Structure formats: C-alpha cells, structure tokens
C-alpha cells in the first residue's frame, strides 16, 4: 500500500482516487476547486470522444469508460449515469467514426433535420455531472479517502506517489505550456420532455452543437474557443447556441433558460499519462475527460503500482519541476 496524494478534484482526479482506494492505497485528494467548481462540473456530459489525442489511446480509454458507465447506469441509479439513445448528424456523407470500435454499435440514420445528409444513432452514457461528482465524492469518502481544498504552487512531495490530475492547472504545476484552454459555453434549460440527445459534429470546422437531456434539465451547447481563458458567459454566444440547437430540437425556442456556464477544456496535443519518478501525470483530456475517465483511472492505478519509488535530485528539484522539501 502506498500513501497517494491526488491533485485535482475533477472527474479525472476523483475517478483515479476511487480506483486507487479500491486497489488498497491510502488516498488524499487536494484541489483548488472542489468538484462542483471544476471544468468537469460544466461538461454536458455525453460519452463521446471529442477533442482528445492520440486517437489510438483515446479509443482504449473510452472503451473502458463506456463499459464502466454502462454498469453504473444499470446498478447505481444514484450516480446520475443514464444510457440514452441519440443521433449525431453530419453535413456530408461520412464513413463510420474513428472511435466506432470503442463501444456502442452505431446505426445509420435516415430521418435527419434540415441541412444534414448523414448521421448515426447509438446508445451512449449521459452523465449528470453535479449528481455524478457528488456520487464520486461519496465513493472516495466511503472508501476512506479525503478531499481537501488547497491551492498549490507546485506539486507536493509529502506522499509516496503524487497523481497530478490538475487539468489546465498543469501549465503551472507541471510547467507544461502545451496544455491550453479550449473555452466551452453551454446553456442549461428546463427539461421539456426530451429523452434523446442530439449532436451536430464539428466535422465542417464549426463548433459542435449538442442537446443533452438530464432528469430535470437539458444542456445545450456549445463552443470551442482555443486559447480563451474567460469563464464569463456571453449572452450573444448563448443566443447563437440556442439558435443552432433549435434546428436539431425546435422545442428549444420556447424552453426556459435556467443558467449559463463556461468551462475551460484542458487540451494537449496528447493526453499526458505517464509516471516520472514518484509522480503520475494524468491531464490534458480536452473535450473528453468524462469519456476517458475510468480508462485513465485504471492506468493511473497500474502506474502507481505496489512499491513506491522515491527519488530526489541533488539540486532539490526533480526532472518534473517539483521542489523537494
Ligand atoms: C462546455 C463543456 C462541455 C463538455 N462536454 C463534455 C462531454 O460531453 N463529454 C466529455 O467527456 N467531456 C466533456 N467536456 C470536457 C471535460 O469537462 C474535461 O475533459 C474534464 O472536465 C477534464 O477533467 P479534469 O479532472 O482533468 O479537469 P478539471 O475538471 O478542470 O479539474 C482539475 C482539478 O485540478 C485542480 N487544480 C488545478 N490547478 C490547481 C492548483 N494549482 N492547486 C490545486 N488544485 C489545482 C482544480 O482545482 C480541479 O479540482 C466538456 C467541457 C466543457 C467545458
């Protein structure tokens, strides 16, 4: 058993904490933002591999996660995970998606909204993030882990292994400038009887448009603005999102808006999931952190392994930029 410190309380950090606790480690989570304040809490959150690399690994992690979420949907109603059928529509005839082998069986769709010529329907997990994050917190605590608010200026050294799940915070904590924000805005409206999701892909260079139903509300998106750090919702963007989404689901024109949210997806040319000395890095999940969460958590747990490996360089600064006490 190792003493493991997980940095980050988004979906990646909490899922990793759960798997590490299940593997018998002692786990404490520290995070500047508590779960309901994270980017993860803004996610729509449909299982769908989007804006994440490299594709071969994304497919593996997404496949594991699809299976795990499917189990949660059927065994843990309190988790907020539901399997829902929905349709992705496309403006051009398109071969099967690159992620097709990751889980769901897809069926070509012929009844399409105006402006679309192709599409596929499949069942996918939809995760009601505020409910799910609370459920994950409950799992961490029930397994003996802790979650503490802490704003770090560097990765800690007071554990056998530190697991860095700090998302966009890895620019600072891992000194990694290759992770960049991709701002996403959503509009949350009151549920009006919608039970299937809709997605118009970003295949033609436009921002993806999606309509994802939950129990009492519907999440409508979205935008993807790379390099934008603002988390302030724009009224003009919200109006444009609703206009685009109304083509997919006309009832949205009359839906009651409940709130607006903006999150910063942590995009990296490739998800960083590797062990460097006694740090396991797991960040850079872009637009698919929920979609890959359990697959990555399993890999984090394998990398933490059994025996702690502690190394300190003579300068007191490790090769991953950590200050040593
Ligand atoms: C609008 C929108 C819609 C999305 N929809 C989907 C979707 O449908 N499906 C999907 O799979 N994904 C979706 N995503 C992407 C998904 O939200 C992210 O990939 C995911 O949240 C990343 O999770 P994370 O745990 O790595 O990061 P985060 O949730 O950002 O958590 C990072 C954690 O690290 C902590 N941290 C950072 N810096 C420090 C520091 N210095 N000290 C201490 N703690 C620190 C933070 O406080 C936080 O607790 C969407 C994102 C957005 C914005």
């Amino acid at each position: 058993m190792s003493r493991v410190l997980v940095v980050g309380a988004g979906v990646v950090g909490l899922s990793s904490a759960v798997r590490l606790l299940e593997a018998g480690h002692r786990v404490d989570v520290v995070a500047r933002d508590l779960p309901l304040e994270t980017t993860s809490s803004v996610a729509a959150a449909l299982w769908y591999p989007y804006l994440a690399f490299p594709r071969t690994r994304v497919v593996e992690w997404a496949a594991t996660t699809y299976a795990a979420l499917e189990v949660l949907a059927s065994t843990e109603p309190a988790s907020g995970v539901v399997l829902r059928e929905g349709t992705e529509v496309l403006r051009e005839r398109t071969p099967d998606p690159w992620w097709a082998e990751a889980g769901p069986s897809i069926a070509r769709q012929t009844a399409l909204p105006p402006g679309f010529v192709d599409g596929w329907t499949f069942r996918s997990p939809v995760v009601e993030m505020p409910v799910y994050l609370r459920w994950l917190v409950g799992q961490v605590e029930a397994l003996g882990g802790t979650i503490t608010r802490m704003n770090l200026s560097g990765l800690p050294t007071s554990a056998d292994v530190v697991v860095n799940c700090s998302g966009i915070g890895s620019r600072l904590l891992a000194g990694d400038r290759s992770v960049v924000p991709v701002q996403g805005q959503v509009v949350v409206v009151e549920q009006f009887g919608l039970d299937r999701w809709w997605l118009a892909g970003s295949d033609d260079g436009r921002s993806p448009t999606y309509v994802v139903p939950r129990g009492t509300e519907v999440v409508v998106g979205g935008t993807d603005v790379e390099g934008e750090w603002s988390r302030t919702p724009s009224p003009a963007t919200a109006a444009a999102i609703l206009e685009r989404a109304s083509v997919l689901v006309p009832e949205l024109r009359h839906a009651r808006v409940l709130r607006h949210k903006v999150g910063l997806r942590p995009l990296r040319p490739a998800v960083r999931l590797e062990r460097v000395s006694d740090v396991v890095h797991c960040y850079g999940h872009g637009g698919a952190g929920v979609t890959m969460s359990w697959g990555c958590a399993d890999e984090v747990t394998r990398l933490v392994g059994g025996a702690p490996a502690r190394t300190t360089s003579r300068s007191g600064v490790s090769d991953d930029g950590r200050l040593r006490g």
Side-chain angles (χ1 to χ4, degrees), residues 7-13 30-35 38-48 150-153 165-170 172-173 182-186 210 212 223 261-266 282-292:
V7 177
V11 70
V12 174
V30 293
R32 182 193 58 215
D33 308 298
L34 294 180
T38 60
T39 297
S40 299
S41 74
V42 179
L46 180 65
W47 178 97
Y48 185 89
M150 204 178 288
N151 188 3
L152 302 171
S153 56
C165 303
S166 62
I168 195 71
S170 288
L172 171 71
L173 295 182
V182 177
Q183 184 207 53
Q185 180 167 333
V186 294
Y210 46 87
V212 180
T223 58
K261 299 286 269 184
V262 172
L264 304 179
R265 303 175 181 93
C282 184
Y283 63 86
H285 297 78
V290 182
T291 303
M292 300 188 288

Side-chain angles (χ1 to χ4, degrees), residues 169-204:
S170 288
R171 277 177 75 87
L172 171 71
L173 295 182
D176 185 348
R177 294 284 154 159
S178 73
V179 56
V180 294
V182 177
Q183 184 207 53
Q185 180 167 333
V186 294
V187 184
V188 182
V189 303
E190 196 169 60
Q191 179 56 279
F192 48 87
L194 189 70
D195 62 2
R196 66 187 341 270
W197 55 265
W198 287 89
L199 169 66
S202 55
D203 51 307
D204 55 1

Side-chain angles (χ1 to χ4, degrees), residues 12-48:
V12 174
L14 293 179
S15 308
S16 298
V18 168
R19 285 291 184 262
L20 287 162
L21 285 158
E22 288 170 348
H25 297 291
R26 177 180 156 191
V27 179
D28 298 296
V29 180
V30 293
R32 182 193 58 215
D33 308 298
L34 294 180
L36 296 181
E37 305 158 354
T38 60
T39 297
S40 299
S41 74
V42 179
L46 180 65
W47 178 97
Y48 185 89

